[in-house]
Amino acid sequence: MPTIVITGAGRGIGLATCKAFLSRGYQVIATYRSANGLASLQSLPHQAGQLQCFPLEVSDSHAIENFAEKLRGQTVDILLNNAGVFGGEAQSINHLDFNEWKQTLAINTIAPIELTLALLPNLRKSLSARVVAISSQMASLERNQPGYYAYRSSKAALNKAIQCLAHDLKADNIVVCPVHPGWVKTDMGGTDADISVNECVAGLVPLIEQLSMAQTGHFLQYNGESMSW
Ligand SMILES: NC(=O)c1ccc[n+]([C@@H]2O[C@H](COP(=O)([O-])OP(=O)(O)OC[C@H]3O[C@@H](n4cnc5c(N)ncnc54)[C@H](OP(=O)(O)O)[C@@H]3O)[C@@H](O)[C@H]2O)c1
């Protein structure tokens, strides 16, 4: 069965996608940060040897190198760059925390690219490699709305970097897409969000499974529709 790497898999959308890919028989390599995250992953139904869990702080370059070293020689068919942060409370014109903004850029924008490049040898071994970065409708330049400087800018910059990566990895036949998962009821999305994690995953998982080179570089939504840049 294919192998998928999922970051930030200890809760929220990451945990739910792990559960779905495990139930479909995939080999799942899940990264987490906390003991709670690891416990949640280990409690997911799975076959012996089907789930590998590794601690990974995605903004730590050294940790990314170590993680890639542990996977050396393994084929990775899908990399789901899911780990992300909202960027804290101070995101309005009168109240900006620049250090938190820099950290948000490190986690949401740079880490997905750094991890993808670190796992490129693994992705190149796949006959159908796909890299998905979980982005957001809040990145869209057409949604001309105020506030949330750190989050909006980090996901907009992620989109641009992912678009560049899609061009650069065309020759390797690697599909690369940013995907908006919907506004989802998680710790980040909150209880007022539009859809449950299960509704998100019911769209996101088949979308990821069916991605082809025809879609590389496209900004998509979890339900397969395109998202405006
Ligand atoms: N929920 C929504 O409505 C929504 C909408 C659009 C996009 N998204 C995006 O979807 C992705 C998942 O969000 P979610 O709603 O599931 O959020 P969540 O419930 O807050 O979960 C975030 C996940 O990312 C991990 N994470 C955060 N910073 C990390 C870091 N520096 N290194 C490694 N892992 C880190 C967290 O790990 P810990 O448990 O260790 O903190 C957690 O597993 C994010 O990229 C988010 O921006 C969400």
Side-chain angles (χ1 to χ4, degrees):
M1 276 307 275
T3 297
I4 181 167
V5 172
I6 305 175
T7 64
R11 62 191 166 101
I13 296 169
L15 183 66
T17 31
C18 273
K19 186 178 176 194
F21 278 106
L22 285 169
S23 75
R24 287 171 185 237
Y26 280 67
Q27 291 293 319
V28 175
I29 299 172
T31 82
Y32 65 93
R33 292 195 301 183
S34 67
N36 279 348
L38 176 59
S40 300
L41 282 164
Q42 287 174 333
S43 71
L44 296 176
H46 62 279
Q47 306 294 317
Q50 195 193 359
L51 173 66
Q52 297 176 69
C53 302
F54 295 96
L56 179 64
E57 163 56 59
V58 296
S59 65
D60 178 347
S61 298
H62 189 59
I64 285 184
E65 273 171 38
N66 282 343
F67 176 60
E69 188 55 37
K70 285 181 189 136
L71 300 197
R72 195 210 279 249
Q74 284 195 56
T75 302
V76 171
D77 299 286
I78 303 170
L79 169 58
L80 178 57
N81 285 295
N82 165 75
V85 287
F86 197 65
E89 298 297 318
Q91 295 198 53
S92 62
I93 184 69
N94 295 321
H95 195 207
L96 280 172
D97 181 333
F98 291 105
N99 284 330
E100 186 129 28
W101 191 348
K102 286 174 196 170
Q103 185 58 14
T104 303
L105 289 166
I107 296 167
N108 289 1
T109 311
I110 297 171
I113 308 302
E114 195 170 3
L115 182 60
T116 305
L117 295 186
L119 296 184
L120 214 42
N122 309 77
L123 290 160
R124 284 190 173 126
K125 288 169 77 79
S126 170
L127 296 176
S128 171
R130 283 145 284 166
V131 175
V132 169
I134 299 293
S135 180
S136 170
Q137 63 185 359
M138 289 178 72
S140 177
L141 299 182
E142 286 186 23
R143 288 168 64 99
N144 191 357
Q145 293 165 332
Y148 303 113
Y149 281 66
Y151 190 70
R152 287 189 204 283
S153 63
S154 68
K155 294 291 191 182
L158 170 68
N159 282 355
K160 196 65 201 172
I162 286 289
Q163 191 185 52
C164 294
L165 200 59
H167 277 287
D168 286 336
L169 298 185
K170 248 184 202 160
D172 290 290
N173 238 17
I174 299 176
V175 181
V176 186
C177 289
V179 176
H180 167 57
W183 184 20
V184 191
K185 292 180 179 36
T186 60
D187 293 339
M188 187 187 293
T191 49
D192 289 340
D194 290 333
I195 57 172
S196 68
V197 158
N198 287 343
E199 287 171 278
C200 164
V201 165
L204 188 61
V205 167
L207 172 76
I208 293 171
E209 283 189 302
Q210 288 156 28
L211 280 178
S212 71
M213 283 307 284
Q215 289 152 302
T216 199
H218 291 204
F219 186 14
L220 301 169
Q221 305 191 43
Y222 74 105
N223 57 9
E225 290 174 13
S226 25
M227 183 78 222
S228 67
W229 295 99

